[in-house]
């Protein structure tokens, strides 16, 4: 048999999954993940997930877009290609606000989207969880999974399997890498 | 579906949005069965619709080629009316797009659960509408192949765009709007594409949806990042949508032309955009929900809410009409007064009265709950409002231009065949994209409806 990725418990109710995730966390498991067809409120706390860095990316890229956008307009209109319109000031900054704003949104949105993909490591063409036929059929539809991975320090083939069986799942699946 | 029960459900309970009886599986089955139907299962009505749309798209292509080859002289645009149909189409299309963003972003931020079933459709509509809109000013360039002169890039001519001009702001606003709408729409669709991948029976469908879903597996870590990104997108899109139509309105109000030079334009344009956009949403969802049997996901409650928003934004638009007229006389400005009198009595008066009838008089029917839930009436009304809003923009653009300060320069504008073909052709582009979308992608956000179902079960438990 190929190397083991972990054990995965299968549930048919999102509330059971949230309870199971909480129980596994209290048991001391850390290298685990839950899978569900839709976002379940409270699941991230139950798994003890750290705060996401995405808002920070949006903020930084938004500021970069705003400042960079304004400086671009300033440089072009004041230094590179100044146009004297009836002696009005070259740095007519209110006129530069709309484009600076659009560039703020553009920069935060596009880089934020890329950050989502990078932080989630997507696209990912292969992942061990899909080795389960049940997962491949139901995980995006109507079932909920909790997978404890083999590289968790507390992982022990028998104990982990028994622990998962004790959480009242429909079944426990052994996953290959 | 048991509409009577939905009518009596409390306003804020999710039950009022989704009827009882759905499961996670049934939602997926219902929505996914449309894109996953085999080629042989394609319905003839859909094929006919696509064929007609493609015909108009072909007309659009001919109109574009002829325009690029001959120049904008093929249209009726003559000084002083240098802007006419193309700019009217531009404002109309981009306004239609705004309702999609309102539904997907603003209603998300204010936690309106009824948005869930219709947000994907509305966002898709936004993207096609912005595509049609973006083409219009592009076609209006004398030399379309030099469009990249609009961007600030280092060039051997040593010239740069004039950033004090709202026309340059427009370029940035529309392109940003298109990009963000597309990313927002795609982000929202990733989990549903994964669901289609897992439900697909043919290897080809599984490969295509698998590729598009990026290997999404519904990990809690992913959802954690995903949800905050989606929310932040909504937060970005909300001021964006307001800024886009504001910039469009500034194209007019920053100029000195009577009929354009007015501070009420930004709010009046944004409200008008959402008004016309909701009309288009209704034009699309009323036939779709009955054709695809989605009446239990897109319920009368949805139509009712759209109709209420139509009424509310319609009243803001009516206020705009009133204030424009009032301010012309209140200002005492001869030219402003003249342009308003011409609007009421001149050559384009019939257009203006049609506008008032379609956008102000007809929507008053929506005060009555019975009419808000009458699909046939709503459908007819939504088309009337679409037409009315197009004509409103026509009056703003053309009537104001055709009578500026100097009577010796006055000239009545009349559209040519090519003006009409460009307008009809853009409808072809819009509906072609819409038909393809309906057949190939999940029209209703499966994962969001499931989440709503989950919360609804929490309520009953």
């Amino acid at each position: 048999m190929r190397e083991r990725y972990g054990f995965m418990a299968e549930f048919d109710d999102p509330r059971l999954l949230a309870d199971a995730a909480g129980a596994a966390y209290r048991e001391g498991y850390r290298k685990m993940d839950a899978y569900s067809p839709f976002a379940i409120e409270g699941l991230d706390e139950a798994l003890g997930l750290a705060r996401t860095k995405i808002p920070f990316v949006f903020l930084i890229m938004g500021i970069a877009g705003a400042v960079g956008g304004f400086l671009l307009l300033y440089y072009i209109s004041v230094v590179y290609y100044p146009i004297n319109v009836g002696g009005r000031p070259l740095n007519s900054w209110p006129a530069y606000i709309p484009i600076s704003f659009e560039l703020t949104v553009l920069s935060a949105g596009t880089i934020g989207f890329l950050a989502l993909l990078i932080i989630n490591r997507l696209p990912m063409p292969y992942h061990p969880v899909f080795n389960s036929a049940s997962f491949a059929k139901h995980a995006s539809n109507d079932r909920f999974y909790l997978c404890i991975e083999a590289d968790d320090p507390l992982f022990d083939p028998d104990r982990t399997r028994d622990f998962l069986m004790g959480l009242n799942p429909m079944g426990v699946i052994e996953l290959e890498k | 579906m048991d509409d009577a029960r939905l009518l009596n459900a409390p306003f804020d309970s999710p039950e009022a949005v989704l009827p009882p009886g759905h499961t996670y599986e049934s939602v997926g089955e219902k929505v996914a069965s449309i894109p996953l139907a085999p080629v042989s299962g394609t319905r003839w009505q859909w094929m006919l619709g696509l064929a007609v749309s493609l015909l108009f798209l072909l007309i659009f292509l001919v109109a574009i080629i002829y325009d690029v080859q001959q120049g904008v002289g093929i249209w009726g645009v003559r000084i002083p009316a240098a802007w006419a149909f193309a700019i009217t189409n531009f404002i109309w299309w981009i306004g239609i797009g705004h309702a999609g963003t309102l539904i997907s972003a603003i209603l998300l931020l204010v936690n309106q659960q009824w948005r869930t079933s219709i947000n994907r459709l509305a966002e898709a509509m936004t993207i096609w509408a912005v595509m049609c809109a973006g083409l219009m000013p592009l076609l209006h360039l004398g030399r379309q192949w030099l469009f990249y002169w609009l961007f600030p890039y280092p060039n051997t001519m040593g010239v740069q765009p004039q950033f004090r001009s709202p026309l340059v702001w427009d370029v940035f606003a529309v392109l940003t709007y298109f990009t963000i709408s597309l990313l927002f729409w795609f982000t929202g669709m990733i989990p549903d594409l994964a669901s289609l991948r897992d439900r697909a029976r043919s290897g080809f469908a599984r490969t295509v949806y698998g590729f598009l879903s990026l290997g999404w597996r519904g990990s809690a870590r992913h959802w954690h990042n995903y949800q905050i990104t989606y929310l932040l997108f909504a937060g970005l899109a909300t001021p964006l949508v307001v800024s886009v139509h504001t910039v469009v309105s500034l194209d007019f109000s920053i100029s000195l032309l009577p009929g354009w030079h007015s501070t009420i334009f930004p709010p009046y344009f944004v409200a008008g955009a959402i008004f016309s956009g909701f009309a288009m949403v209704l034009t699309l969802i009323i036939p779709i929900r009955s054709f695809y049997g989605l009446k239990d996901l897109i319920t009368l409650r949805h139509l009712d809410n759209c109709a209420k928003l139509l009424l509310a934004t319609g009243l803001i638009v009516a206020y705009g009409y009133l204030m424009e007229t009032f301010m012309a006389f209140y200002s005492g400005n001869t030219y402003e007064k003249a342009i308003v009198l011409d609007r009421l009595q001149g050559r384009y008066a019939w257009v203006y009265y049609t506008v008032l009838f379609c956008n102000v008089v007809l929507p008053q029917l929506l005060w009555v709950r019975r009419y808000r839930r009458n699909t046939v009436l709503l459908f007819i009304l939504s088309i009337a409002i679409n037409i009315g809003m197009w004509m409103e923009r026509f009056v703003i653009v053309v009537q104001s231009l055709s009578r500026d300060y100097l009577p010796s320069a006055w000239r009545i504008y009349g559209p040519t065949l090519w003006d009409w073909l460009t307008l009809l052709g853009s409808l072809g582009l819009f509906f072609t994209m819409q038909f393809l979308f309906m057949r190939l992608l999940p029209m209703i956000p499966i994962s969001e409806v499931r989440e709503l179902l989950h919360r609804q079960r929490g309520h009953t438990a």
Side-chain angles (χ1 to χ4, degrees), chain B residues 130-184:
Chain B
V130 177
M131 280 167 54
C132 295
L135 275 172
M136 292 298 164
L138 205 64
L139 296 177
H140 210 309
L141 297 174
R143 293 174 288 167
Q144 292 86 351
W145 51 95
L146 298 177
F147 70 94
Y148 58 87
W149 284 9
L150 292 161
F151 296 103
Y153 71 103
N155 57 71
T156 50
M157 300 174 289
V159 292
Q160 289 293 331
Q162 167 59 285
F163 290 120
R164 297 171 190 89
S165 160
L167 299 183
V168 179
W169 304 349
D170 246 357
V171 178
F172 286 86
V174 173
L175 284 177
T176 302
Y177 187 44
F178 180 71
T179 313
I180 297 296
S181 301
L182 193 67
L183 288 176
F184 193 28

Side-chain angles (χ1 to χ4, degrees), chain B residues 15 18 36 87 133 144 192 201 205 241 272 291 296 369 425 434:
Chain B
E15 193 173 72
L18 281 184
L36 290 179
I87 302 302
Q144 292 86 351
D192 290 359
R201 275 179 292 271
V241 71
F291 180 66
D296 50 344
R369 183 194 191 101
Q434 188 65 33

Side-chain angles (χ1 to χ4, degrees), chain B residues 39 46 54 198 235 245-246 267 387 429:
Chain B
V39 178
W46 179 85
L54 279 172
D198 296 345
H245 230 69
T246 300
I387 295 172
L429 173 62

Side-chain angles (χ1 to χ4, degrees), chain B residues 146-451:
Chain B
L146 298 177
F147 70 94
Y148 58 87
W149 284 9
L150 292 161
F151 296 103
Y153 71 103
N155 57 71
T156 50
M157 300 174 289
V159 292
Q160 289 293 331
Q162 167 59 285
F163 290 120
R164 297 171 190 89
S165 160
L167 299 183
V168 179
W169 304 349
D170 246 357
V171 178
F172 286 86
V174 173
L175 284 177
T176 302
Y177 187 44
F178 180 71
T179 313
I180 297 296
S181 301
L182 193 67
L183 288 176
F184 193 28
W185 180 65
F186 179 69
T187 306
M189 210 154 44
I190 294 172
D192 290 359
L193 290 167
S195 194
L196 289 187
R197 169 197 68 200
D198 296 345
R199 306 183 73 94
R201 275 179 292 271
S202 87
F204 177 70
R206 194 178 306 124
T207 311
V208 173
Y209 291 123
F211 182 80
L212 291 174
S213 67
L214 311 172
W216 178 265
R217 56 186 188 274
S219 151
R221 287 189 164 75
H222 291 182
W223 279 119
H224 186 55
N225 293 321
Y226 174 89
Q227 281 204 300
I228 193 82
T229 309
Y230 198 66
L231 203 61
L232 286 167
F233 260 119
L236 285 178
T238 300
L240 178 65
V241 71
V242 175
S243 86
V244 172
H245 230 69
T246 300
V247 167
V248 171
S249 77
L250 293 180
D251 289 343
F252 300 94
S253 60
I254 283 187
S255 80
L256 297 175
L257 193 74
W260 284 8
H261 189 57
S262 156
T263 48
I264 204 171
F265 265 33
Y268 160 51
F269 266 53
V270 171
I274 292 167
F275 181 56
S276 68
F278 267 100
M280 188 57 104
V281 167
L282 285 172
T283 308
L284 293 176
I285 65 175
I286 290 173
I288 286 175
R289 74 195 271 277
S290 93
F291 180 66
Y292 284 112
L294 296 170
K295 285 182 183 168
D296 50 344
L297 290 174
I298 303 172
T299 62
L300 283 183
R301 168 83 192 275
H302 291 99
L303 301 185
D304 187 33
N305 283 356
C306 287
K308 280 180 188 160
L309 276 163
L310 209 54
L311 178 61
T313 46
L315 288 174
I316 303 177
V317 170
Y319 175 79
Y321 296 157
L322 188 69
M323 275 304 122
E324 259 191 322
T325 311
F326 171 75
M327 286 311 292
F329 291 100
Y330 189 65
S331 69
N333 182 309
T334 315
Y335 300 101
E336 292 284 348
K337 277 191 285 190
I339 200 80
V340 165
L341 288 175
D342 180 62
R343 192 167 285 175
L344 296 170
Q345 303 163 354
R347 281 286 289 276
Y348 298 113
W350 69 272
V351 185
Y352 189 62
Y353 289 119
T354 314
V355 169
L356 291 182
F357 179 71
C358 290
N359 299 349
V360 180
V361 178
L362 278 183
Q364 303 314 316
L365 288 174
L366 299 173
W367 289 100
V368 183
R369 183 194 191 101
R370 196 154 36 92
Y371 297 146
R372 289 199 303 268
R373 287 168 184 261
N374 181 337
T375 50
V376 177
L377 183 94
L378 269 185
F379 184 70
I380 294 170
L381 189 66
S382 72
I383 290 182
I385 292 173
N386 279 321
I387 295 172
M389 284 308 290
W390 188 89
M391 289 168 114
E392 179 213 293
R393 275 67 171 258
F394 178 83
V395 170
I396 292 173
V397 175
V398 175
Q399 186 256 342
S400 309
L401 273 176
S402 65
R403 290 175 79 92
D404 64 359
Y405 292 100
L406 271 182
S408 62
W410 290 354
R411 190 174 193 281
I412 290 299
Y413 163 87
T416 65
L417 175 68
W418 295 102
D419 280 309
W420 287 111
L421 293 184
T422 309
L423 170 60
L424 292 176
S426 68
L427 283 164
L429 173 62
F430 179 81
F431 281 104
T432 301
M433 298 304 289
Q434 188 65 33
F435 272 106
L436 290 175
F437 161 72
M438 277 154 43
R439 179 69 178 80
L440 299 174
L441 290 169
M443 259 189 297
I444 291 179
I446 306 173
S447 68
E448 284 185 50
V449 173
R450 282 178 174 147
E451 200 182 327

Side-chain angles (χ1 to χ4, degrees), chain A residues 1-8 126 128 131 150 155 157 161 173-177:
Chain A
M1 181 188 146
R2 295 170 60 199
E3 212 180 329
R4 184 187 288 121
Y5 177 75
F7 284 117
M8 188 160 68
Y126 173 80
N131 288 334
F155 187 88
R161 181 199 287 265
I173 304 157
E174 181 171 5
L175 286 176
E176 292 176 4
K177 249 187 189 165

